[in-house]
Amino acid sequence: MLFLAQTASNDFHGFLPTRGSVMLDFVFVALFAVIPVLASSIWLVKFRKPAELHKCEWHKWIQLALGAILLVAVTAFEVDMRFITKDWRSLAEASPFYASKIVDYSLWIHLCFAIPTPLLWIFVIVRALQKFPKPVAPCEYSSRHMMWGRIAATAMFMTAVTGWVFYWLAFVA
Ligand code: HEM
């Protein structure tokens, strides 16, 4: 009943009972799926036995799929912000954290991770595809990949956490 009343008064915009747009809601929810998949993909290679090369192959394809999803999500997000939702601020104005600029600060912190993350992912994926043999197996490039892979995975994790905080401050509170 409350849901219907709020829908009728146009307080809902996306599919979650918050002030977020469809795309903001989608990214908010999608990140809850992306993070466990990313963790599982790294877990596969980290705890494999040396002979279990099929786990490297799984890691490769999971990471390529996550990279493609990230690319589609970033593009859809940009299209939404520029052409469909346009003004996320009007959706966030009702937040008790809006006037004090806490919402703005949380967005800046989020962008510190969200902007470099796709660039890091492109770099890690392109270099891995160039350097690892086919079929995938550890090689002299492994240690560099592990370093950059950990940085790229951490950046993605931080993008998700800071994104969830921003979403909550702007569109839930
Ligand atoms: C953004 C995409 C990727 C991320 C974030 C990533 C992340 C990682 C991380 C963190 C590790 C080290 C795990 C540990 O601590 O032991 C790792 C290992 C590995 N990755 Fe990736 N990876 C990515 C893409 C790829 C791709 C595209 C390939 C293959 C072409 C690949 C092949 C491997 C292999 C073979 C290992 C094991 C290295 C070894 O044990 O010697 N990765 N990756």
Side-chain angles (χ1 to χ4, degrees):
M1 200 58 193
L2 175 71
F3 180 89
L4 288 175
Q6 285 196 311
T7 308
S9 69
N10 206 22
D11 279 352
F12 292 170
H13 300 268
F15 55 87
L16 293 178
T18 66
R19 295 183 298 276
S21 66
V22 175
M23 199 56 212
L24 285 163
D25 287 0
F26 176 75
V27 174
F28 178 80
V29 171
L31 285 172
F32 283 100
V34 166
I35 296 301
V37 173
L38 173 61
S40 319
S41 169
I42 292 173
W43 185 83
L44 266 180
V45 275
K46 197 173 175 66
F47 298 109
R48 75 184 168 84
K49 297 194 179 87
E52 293 177 325
L53 291 180
H54 64 283
K55 292 193 176 173
C56 292
E57 201 66 37
W58 271 102
H59 169 76
K60 169 182 173 175
W61 290 106
I62 295 171
Q63 291 309 127
L64 290 179
L66 284 178
I69 292 168
L70 185 63
L71 204 67
V72 171
V74 169
T75 311
F77 199 75
E78 282 300 311
V79 169
D80 179 58
M81 280 299 146
R82 277 170 215 280
F83 304 110
I84 302 166
T85 302
K86 288 182 191 153
D87 186 18
W88 67 267
R89 287 181 180 278
S90 63
L91 302 176
E93 265 165 5
S95 164
F97 300 102
Y98 187 78
S100 56
K101 295 220 174 288
I102 291 174
V103 167
D104 287 69
Y105 299 142
S106 77
L107 178 59
W108 278 110
I109 295 171
H110 173 60
L111 292 178
C112 289
F113 296 101
I115 293 169
T117 297
L119 304 175
L120 275 166
W121 273 58
I122 291 169
F123 169 73
V124 171
I125 288 177
V126 169
R127 290 307 275 166
L129 291 175
Q130 287 171 339
K131 295 279 188 176
F132 282 111
K134 289 184 189 81
V136 183
C139 64
E140 74 287 352
Y141 181 68
S142 289
S143 57
R144 284 205 144 246
H145 173 75
M146 280 151 88
M147 182 189 78
W148 283 107
R150 282 172 198 164
I151 294 171
T154 308
M156 179 57 123
F157 179 73
M158 290 306 294
T159 300
V161 173
T162 57
W164 289 327
V165 171
F166 167 69
Y167 182 94
W168 188 84
L169 289 170
F171 309 114
V172 182

